[in-house]
Amino acid sequence: FNLLMHSDGTEPAAGQPAAELARCLTEHFTTRVAKRYGTGDLDPPNRLVYLLDHEYTERGLSWNRLKGADTQRAVLLRAAADQADCEAVLALAEVKETWDCDPSDDYGYYDEDDSDPDDYELTELIDSDISLGWWTGPSGKGGESISLHLPDSEVCATTPSAELEPCQSEYEGYMGNYGNTMDRWYRRAAVVVWPLERAFAARAEASASWALHELRDRINAGDLTGARAAAKSLAPFWDSTAGARPPLLATALNVANSLDDPVAAALLLRPFQIESLAPEHATAAADLLARYGEPWTNTIIDGWLGSGRSWAYQGDADRLGWIGSLPLLCDALLDTGAPGAAAARRLLAASWRWLGDEIRLWVDQSPAKQREEQLDLLGKPLARMLEAIAVIGETTLRDVILDALREHGDNVLACLIGALRTSTGLSQDKQRASGLDMLARDCAERLSKIIARPQRDEDDWSIPLPHGCDCELCGTLREFLTSRSRRSYEWPIAKEKRRHIHTRIDTAELPVRHETKRTGSPYTLVLTKTGELFEKERRARRRAVTDLAWLTDNSELANQSSARFE
């Protein structure tokens, strides 16, 4: 059978207790909250969340479909909210509680195959977490998905969750320094109440999408003053509410433009990240620059790029992928006119600061295999950035980039070759405009010099020690390494000093074997140079020959440059 519940549309009378409850609501929303830790008080709560006893579906959650004691309690709260100039909605709550517990048998044994939660006795609540995932409109109709974690100061209930049936339980046995705990999850409905004067902020904290659409509706209705005030009320929580929602950027850009208020617009856009900016946002971005000016726009871009804080992103691939999209983004910005071109120049300059720092970091990084992999990965965004520079004709920045790359040693070749391999499909005009032709010539010169170097003499066992530490130990190590004739060195030093030398050798991937002779005090560290020294140089020469051959086949300019070294 299917059991269907139909409501006649009537509700129980609230009665006299609603007046007393209204007084309690007013007191709740005007009383500062004591800090859980430390001294001082916090601001009064923004809402009251009263947990009901039953579980409901999104479709079944309405004022006239509540069950049992939930019905009267919800009616009282709703009536009290009206008297206290508050608004009330219904919501679905997820409750997680972690309890200290003991097995219920007389001996206190734990059977790992026993998963019956009734076999354990809850003793003390350790932690609880309550969040709202759905709520209705004030009328009880409609609804939307939300995400709102609740502080303890905003939550109350007549029936503790521990007295209800959990929807899931997990027991963690004693593990020496933790365990004997029970995690229990509950699904409960709730009545959520907030003062009418805080209604916008209370809903906006749970749904950034709703907030932006509400602001847009107020602007369209002609309430620009109200929209500006509402936008500024987002300040306490907007960074965390909107920062992880890139799809909202298009709406945020349009609303920020329509607010015609630089402070409110900056607050609205501050949480977003540069990786969210795409070609479809070009017109809105250019309009913002035209409305609020270049200094304001520079501040926004610097914030998105992480000026004063680390870039917020899901991984290097997201950031490098966004840099790879710069040619399309700059082209779209250029189509909007002078403001868009100015925004594109700012984006490119700020993006190069980050990419240049990344290249500099990895050029000096060891081990070599990891360094070359990362530099090769950075080659593609470098090529795309140079292509974007060609789109807007920013020759000054192009020359800055090329000069910076020339200052690096031969370790940067992995990045340069990676960039050139990425851009093989470009026309000669674009290669010249982007500076990739000059990059190819520089690579050809570097590779030709590597190939032209005389091969190491068979009796030359000298090894350079990369910079990184100038301590006395490293000075002794460098003296041994740079000797052409010495192949081994026995060095009596203490354990911590041996460890430092091990780290220096292994980090730099030096062709040196290190062993400890465990006799005497202190033990003796034995260093021995290996034949890998000669093989590494042979591999570097073969790689240079291969890369130069590829350049010769794919770049006339590189071919002309390499011919001078033959």
Side-chain angles (χ1 to χ4, degrees):
F1 297 90
N2 289 327
L3 301 181
L4 306 178
M5 180 171 65
H6 298 280
S7 171
D8 59 6
T10 62
E11 296 180 352
Q16 184 60 31
E20 177 64 16
L21 194 55
R23 185 191 65 79
C24 292
L25 285 174
T26 300
E27 182 179 349
H28 173 76
F29 290 121
T30 55
T31 303
R32 295 177 67 85
V33 178
K35 286 185 178 179
R36 192 169 187 178
Y37 305 103
T39 59
D41 294 332
L42 302 173
D43 291 335
N46 288 322
R47 59 185 68 79
L48 174 72
V49 179
Y50 175 77
L51 298 175
L52 300 175
D53 290 355
H54 293 86
E55 178 181 348
Y56 300 84
T57 64
E58 294 175 2
R59 183 177 179 184
L61 186 66
S62 67
W63 295 105
N64 55 13
R65 290 185 181 179
L66 299 178
K67 310 170 188 177
D70 289 352
T71 303
Q72 186 65 31
R73 294 168 182 169
V75 168
L76 281 171
L77 263 176
R78 196 178 185 189
D82 288 339
Q83 294 184 34
D85 292 327
C86 293
E87 190 173 63
V89 301
L90 290 171
L92 298 180
E94 292 278 347
V95 181
K96 178 189 176 184
E97 293 185 344
T98 300
W99 286 81
D100 183 69
C101 65
D102 293 319
S104 58
D105 62 74
D106 294 336
Y107 301 100
Y109 294 140
Y110 164 57
D111 182 358
E112 64 181 7
D113 295 326
D114 186 357
S115 59
D116 187 352
D118 293 333
D119 288 341
Y120 306 96
E121 180 181 353
L122 305 182
T123 59
E124 181 182 358
L125 180 62
I126 299 174
D127 191 24
S128 65
D129 181 78
I130 303 173
S131 61
L132 302 181
W134 172 274
W135 63 22
T136 67
S139 66
K141 297 180 180 179
E144 64 175 330
S145 295
I146 60 173
S147 177
L148 182 64
H149 286 272
L150 304 172
D152 293 340
S153 60
E154 293 185 352
V155 182
C156 65
T158 300
T159 306
S161 293
E163 296 181 10
L164 302 176
E165 186 71 22
C167 60
Q168 182 182 350
S169 298
E170 289 183 4
Y171 175 76
E172 178 68 61
Y174 184 62
M175 303 299 291
N177 58 356
Y178 69 94
N180 267 2
T181 57
M182 178 72 73
D183 289 334
R184 306 180 80 177
W185 287 266
Y186 305 85
R187 295 191 181 99
R188 305 180 65 171
V191 179
V192 186
V193 183
W194 52 68
L196 282 172
E197 62 185 14
R198 305 183 209 170
F200 174 79
R203 294 188 70 92
E205 187 175 1
S207 176
S209 176
W210 177 89
L212 291 173
H213 285 90
E214 176 67 15
L215 288 174
R216 187 177 59 190
D217 290 344
R218 293 187 185 190
I219 293 170
N220 292 339
D223 184 16
L224 188 57
T225 301
R228 289 170 178 167
K232 292 175 181 177
S233 73
L234 300 172
F237 54 81
W238 188 244
D239 285 357
S240 58
T241 298
R245 294 168 174 80
L248 297 178
L249 179 58
T251 305
L253 288 168
N254 290 325
V255 172
N257 194 16
S258 301
L259 284 171
D260 198 19
D261 183 308
V263 176
L267 187 150
L268 208 62
L269 296 176
R270 185 178 60 200
F272 292 94
Q273 301 159 10
I274 197 66
E275 292 89 347
S276 303
L277 192 64
E280 57 264 29
H281 303 133
T283 299
D287 289 344
L288 282 168
L289 190 146
R291 181 178 296 277
Y292 298 122
E294 191 164 338
W296 181 93
T297 305
N298 291 345
T299 301
I300 297 298
I301 292 175
D302 284 345
W304 286 356
L305 285 167
S307 178
R309 62 180 173 86
S310 60
W311 276 27
Y313 65 103
Q314 299 299 317
D316 281 346
D318 291 347
R319 186 178 305 177
L320 297 178
W322 177 81
I323 293 178
S325 70
L326 279 173
L328 292 176
L329 177 57
C330 288
D331 192 43
L333 286 168
L334 199 62
D335 286 344
T336 66
R345 287 193 294 271
R346 181 67 184 180
L347 280 173
L348 285 171
S351 299
W352 165 246
R353 285 200 303 272
W354 177 81
L355 185 60
D357 288 343
E358 284 291 293
I359 293 173
R360 187 179 305 108
L361 170 69
W362 285 105
V363 161
D364 297 325
Q365 184 67 29
S366 293
K369 184 176 184 297
Q370 184 181 13
R371 177 184 66 236
E372 292 186 3
E373 288 175 352
Q374 291 296 325
L375 286 172
D376 181 66
L377 187 66
L378 294 173
K380 182 175 181 179
L382 172 62
R384 296 294 179 247
M385 181 172 290
L386 290 171
E387 291 175 32
I389 286 172
V391 169
I392 65 172
E394 185 61 25
T395 56
T396 300
L397 179 59
R398 178 199 65 191
D399 294 341
V400 167
I401 293 174
L402 294 176
D403 287 343
L405 294 173
R406 290 189 189 101
E407 292 176 0
H408 295 306
D410 290 342
N411 284 347
V412 80
L413 279 169
C415 179
L416 305 187
I417 294 295
L420 294 170
R421 289 183 184 275
T422 298
S423 57
T424 53
L426 291 181
S427 66
Q428 290 187 0
D429 289 341
K430 287 187 176 180
Q431 286 186 358
R432 284 192 291 270
S434 63
L436 285 163
D437 61 337
M438 290 183 278
L439 202 65
R441 289 198 296 272
D442 182 53
C443 278
E445 291 176 5
R446 291 173 184 254
L447 294 170
S448 297
K449 289 179 181 178
I450 292 174
I451 297 170
R453 291 171 188 165
Q455 296 190 26
R456 177 183 288 266
D457 294 335
E458 293 183 359
D459 60 351
D460 181 5
W461 289 88
S462 60
I463 302 173
L465 178 64
H467 294 293
C469 179
D470 295 323
C471 70
E472 184 178 351
L473 289 172
C474 288
T476 302
L477 175 62
R478 182 175 288 105
E479 183 180 351
F480 162 65
L481 292 175
T482 55
S483 171
R484 289 176 57 94
S485 58
R486 294 179 66 185
R487 296 186 54 183
S488 64
Y489 178 42
E490 295 192 1
W491 191 359
I493 51 175
K495 180 178 180 180
E496 290 302 318
K497 295 179 178 181
R498 293 198 305 271
R499 183 176 298 170
H500 178 65
I501 297 301
H502 292 175
T503 301
R504 289 286 278 143
I505 292 172
D506 293 342
T507 301
E509 292 187 321
L510 301 179
V512 177
R513 183 170 62 251
H514 50 81
E515 300 170 313
T516 300
K517 186 185 295 185
R518 301 182 182 277
T519 58
S521 180
Y523 291 163
T524 300
L525 177 63
V526 180
L527 303 179
T528 307
K529 299 174 183 177
T530 70
E532 176 66 12
L533 169 64
F534 299 91
E535 181 57 33
K536 284 179 68 174
E537 293 197 0
R538 284 192 287 267
R539 285 198 301 268
R541 183 182 297 275
R542 289 195 296 268
R543 184 166 58 248
V545 170
T546 301
D547 289 339
L548 183 57
W550 177 85
L551 272 175
T552 303
D553 291 341
N554 290 274
S555 170
E556 293 183 2
L557 292 171
N559 187 28
Q560 295 169 6
S561 177
S562 63
R564 296 198 302 270
F565 292 89
E566 292 179 355

